[in-house]
Structures are given as structure tokens and as C-alpha cells.
């Protein structure tokens, strides 16, 4: 299935991830003279159906084709035998240089509280420009808004360099392991509901993690604009779910997935989910 979603006009979205690519030598022009670039220095990836250069890489770079990634992930899903009731989407950006796919299992759910469903989801990424390595993530998605609310607290993750081969059997095993972990999470979510979180605790967590700005000094800086935004989200979540750790968790996942207003929604969401992965492993989250 290829159910492409709406992406901002500045991002080039094609109708298919399956197109031919090849690796070619580079040339440069100096004083109207063509000079060959040694293949040992760099080569380029070209989309041969449109003759567009998608990326320039070193001599040891080996492209993994989008088509192979998509097929390997769906083969892994079939081998894991999780469910046949799923929806999927595959998007390509920047003339096909980047690819992102999502598979959501509609009948694999947990229910932390009444009418509060979380579904099992797999995301996968690839690129020809070197910006995204092949990655497959198994995670949960809480369905409480049309946009969906995914969590970066992953239960399984496969990451492969472009010089490596994608292992379908290994991917299937990780998906299955991620499913088992996912089904064991309701107790953890219910435990979070019993942990009180005040406005001051929420602000301290955001300041130490998602809003923390790295500096070369011993003093810590905070992104005040982002902090104000997150505290606003926290206020709405805590009013609905209570002043607890479950509401704090959902404030984080809301922030990570609602990126349509940004210039590069896909990149922003990916960066925010990575930031959440670190935040949920931090000491600040443990004491929140």
C-alpha cells in the first residue's frame, strides 16, 4: 500500500519509492576544462529515470535501495506474523533522496485507561543523500487525535549503515521482540498515572532535557520559547489526564508529532523523536 500523506509544497513528494538509481564518477570544470574527480575521493548517486543527482558520497559508500528497504520491512512483518490488519504509508522527499514509511497495526493494542488506546507501529527510513541511514523502529501510537501521537520511547530499533546489508530475518526477530515488549507496557503506563507531577516538576524536566541548550560553559541555558510551548501543552494534558507522569509523557509525545507548522515537518518530527528517546532515558525523567 502506498497512502501518501500531505506534505508541504517545498518538499518534493513523488508517487513511488521504486525507481532506478546508479553510482557514477564525478567531473568538475575549471577554466572551461573538464577534470575527472578520482573515484577514490567521491562518487555520486543518480536517479537514472530523471537524471537527478540525489547525493555525493565517498568511494566506500554503498547505497541501499528504497525498494529493497520497503520490501525487507514488509517481508519482516510477514515473517513475524503479528497481524494482517494494518495500514501503511510510504513517503519520499527531495526528488526521492529520502524515504519514510509507517506501518500501524490496528488490532494490536493495549488500553492503559478506558478509551485510551495505544497501537503497535513500525517506522522505517532510508536516504540516498546520506542524511538518513536505514532505520526501523518499533513503538507505540496513542490514538487521541487525528494526527496520531507517537512515542519515541522505542521498544525495538534496527539501525544499519549504507555499507551494510539489511538483515530481513534479524529485522523480523526485533519486530517480534518489540511486540512482546509493547504488550507488557500497560502496567508501566498505569504506574505513571499514580505518580504526581506538579507544574514545577514538569518545568524542571523540560528545562533539563527538551529545552536544554548546550554551551561551552558550566552554566546551563534554556530555550525559553520552547519551554513556554511545552508548558502550554503540559497544561492541556494535565487538565485532561490529571497532574501525573502519564500526562507529562503525553505532553512530550504531542510535541514530538505535531510538526506541520515547521518548514520541514518530517525532519523536525524525526529530530524531536530522537530527543525524546534521550529524555526518557535521562535522570530527569526518572525523578519526574
Amino acid at each position: 500500500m502506498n497512502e501518501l500523506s500531505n506534505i508541504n509544497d517545498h518538499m518534493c513528494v513523488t508517487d513511488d519509492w521504486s525507481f532506478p538509481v546508479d553510482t557514477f564518477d564525478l567531473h568538475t570544470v575549471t577554466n572551461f576544462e573538464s577534470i575527472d574527480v578520482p573515484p577514490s575521493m567521491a562518487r555520486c548517486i543518480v536517479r537514472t529515470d530523471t537524471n537527478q543527482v540525489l547525493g555525493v558520497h565517498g568511494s566506500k559508500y554503498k547505497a541501499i535501495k528504497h525498494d529493497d528497504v520497503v520490501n525487507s520491512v514488509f517481508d519482516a512483518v510477514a515473517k513475524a506474523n503479528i497481524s494482517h490488519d494494518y495500514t501503511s504509508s510510504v513517503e519520499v522527499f527531495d526528488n526521492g533522496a529520502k524515504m519514510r514509511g509507517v506501518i500501524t497495526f490496528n488490532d494490536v493494542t493495549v488500553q492503559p485507561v478506558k478509551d485510551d488506546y495505544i497501537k503497535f507501529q513500525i517506522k522505517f527510513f532510508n536516504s540516498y543523500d546520506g542524511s538518513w541511514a536505514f532505520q526501523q523502529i518499533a513503538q507505540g501510537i496513542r490514538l487521541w487525535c487525528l494526527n496520531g501521537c507517537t512515542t519515541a520511547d522505542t521498544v525495538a530499533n534496527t539501525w544499519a549503515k549504507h555499507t551494510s546489508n539489511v538483515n530481513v530475518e534479524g529485522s523480523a526477530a526485533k519486530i517480534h521482540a518489540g511486540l512482546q515488549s509493547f504488550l507488557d507496557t500497560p502496567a508501566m503506563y498505569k504506574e505513571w498515572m499514580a505518580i504526581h507531577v506538579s507544574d514545577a516538576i514538569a518545568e524542571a524536566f523540560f528545562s533539563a532535557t527538551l529545552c536544554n541548550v548546550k554551551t561551552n560553559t558550566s552554566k546551563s541555558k534554556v530555550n525559553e520559547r520552547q519551554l513556554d510551548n511545552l508548558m502550554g501543552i503540559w497544561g492541556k494534558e494535565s487538565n485532561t489526564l490529571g497532574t501525573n507522569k502519564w500526562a507529562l509523557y503525553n505532553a512530550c509525545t504531542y510535541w514530538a508529532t505535531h510538526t506541520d507548522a515547521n518548514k520541514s515537518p518530517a525532519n523536525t518530527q524525526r529530530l524531536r523523536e530522537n530527543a525524546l528517546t534521550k529524555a526518557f532515558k535521562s535522570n530527569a525523567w526518572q525523578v519526574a
Side-chain angles (χ1 to χ4, degrees):
M1 304 177 198
N2 186 15
E3 305 164 358
L4 296 179
S5 64
N6 295 325
I7 302 294
N8 288 359
D9 292 338
H10 74 282
M11 300 190 77
C12 178
V13 181
T14 65
D15 293 330
D16 202 349
W17 64 84
S18 181
F19 51 82
V21 295
D22 207 345
T23 306
F24 293 94
D25 294 340
L26 291 168
H27 305 273
T28 187
V29 177
T30 303
N31 295 329
F32 304 102
E33 179 183 1
S34 178
I35 301 175
D36 294 338
V37 176
S40 60
M41 295 180 64
R43 304 190 77 198
C44 65
I45 304 297
V46 176
R47 178 173 177 167
T48 55
D49 60 338
T50 60
N51 290 326
Q52 292 172 301
V53 176
L54 300 183
V56 176
H57 304 278
S59 60
K60 295 182 180 180
Y61 178 87
K62 182 180 179 181
I64 296 176
K65 294 182 178 179
H66 291 339
D67 203 36
D68 291 340
V69 172
V70 174
N71 291 335
S72 71
V73 171
F74 278 91
D75 285 347
V77 168
K79 288 182 186 240
N81 197 28
I82 296 175
S83 167
H84 297 291
D85 180 14
Y86 60 80
T87 56
S88 63
S89 66
V90 179
E91 301 167 314
V92 288
F93 313 101
D94 299 340
N95 302 315
K98 301 180 182 68
M99 183 272 294
R100 177 183 66 185
V102 180
I103 303 173
T104 303
F105 296 88
N106 300 309
D107 60 346
V108 182
T109 65
V110 297
Q111 191 176 14
V113 294
K114 183 175 172 29
D115 299 326
D116 195 9
Y117 291 94
I118 295 180
K119 295 189 178 184
F120 187 62
Q121 183 184 80
I122 296 167
K123 283 188 174 183
F124 49 96
F125 303 87
N126 193 52
S127 72
Y128 293 124
D129 61 6
S131 59
W132 298 353
F134 166 75
Q135 190 173 16
Q136 173 189 292
I137 307 167
Q139 59 184 14
I141 176 170
R142 181 180 178 226
L143 299 180
W144 55 271
C145 70
L146 294 177
N147 200 36
C149 195
T150 59
T151 169
D153 188 17
T154 57
V155 293
N157 191 359
T158 297
W159 186 92
K161 293 182 179 179
H162 284 270
T163 52
S164 305
N165 293 321
V166 176
N167 187 316
V168 177
E169 289 74 18
S171 295
K174 279 202 171 184
I175 290 174
H176 187 265
L179 171 62
Q180 295 305 313
S181 176
F182 173 75
L183 293 176
D184 290 338
T185 55
M188 178 181 68
Y189 295 139
K190 289 180 180 178
E191 181 182 337
W192 289 351
M193 293 171 199
I195 299 175
H196 174 71
V197 173
S198 65
D199 290 345
I201 292 174
E203 183 173 344
F205 168 72
F206 292 141
S207 297
T209 57
L210 305 178
C211 302
N212 181 261
V213 179
K214 292 184 178 179
T215 68
N216 294 322
T217 69
S218 59
K219 293 184 179 180
S220 183
K221 288 188 177 181
V222 175
N223 184 331
E224 296 291 345
R225 182 177 179 182
Q226 184 151 289
L227 178 59
D228 184 66
N229 179 38
L230 282 164
M231 287 302 292
I233 298 172
W234 155 253
K236 293 178 181 178
E237 292 299 317
S238 59
N239 284 336
T240 302
L241 301 172
T243 52
N244 53 46
K245 197 166 185 175
W246 176 240
L248 182 61
Y249 172 83
N250 282 283
C252 291
T253 55
Y254 180 99
W255 169 79
T257 55
H258 288 69
T259 59
D260 288 344
N262 294 81
K263 292 182 179 180
S264 300
N267 269 327
T268 301
Q269 182 170 333
R270 184 175 169 83
L271 290 172
R272 287 185 178 183
E273 288 182 347
N274 288 338
L276 277 196
T277 299
K278 295 179 181 178
F280 289 149
K281 292 179 180 179
S282 70
N283 290 331
W285 176 253
Q286 300 305 318
V287 300

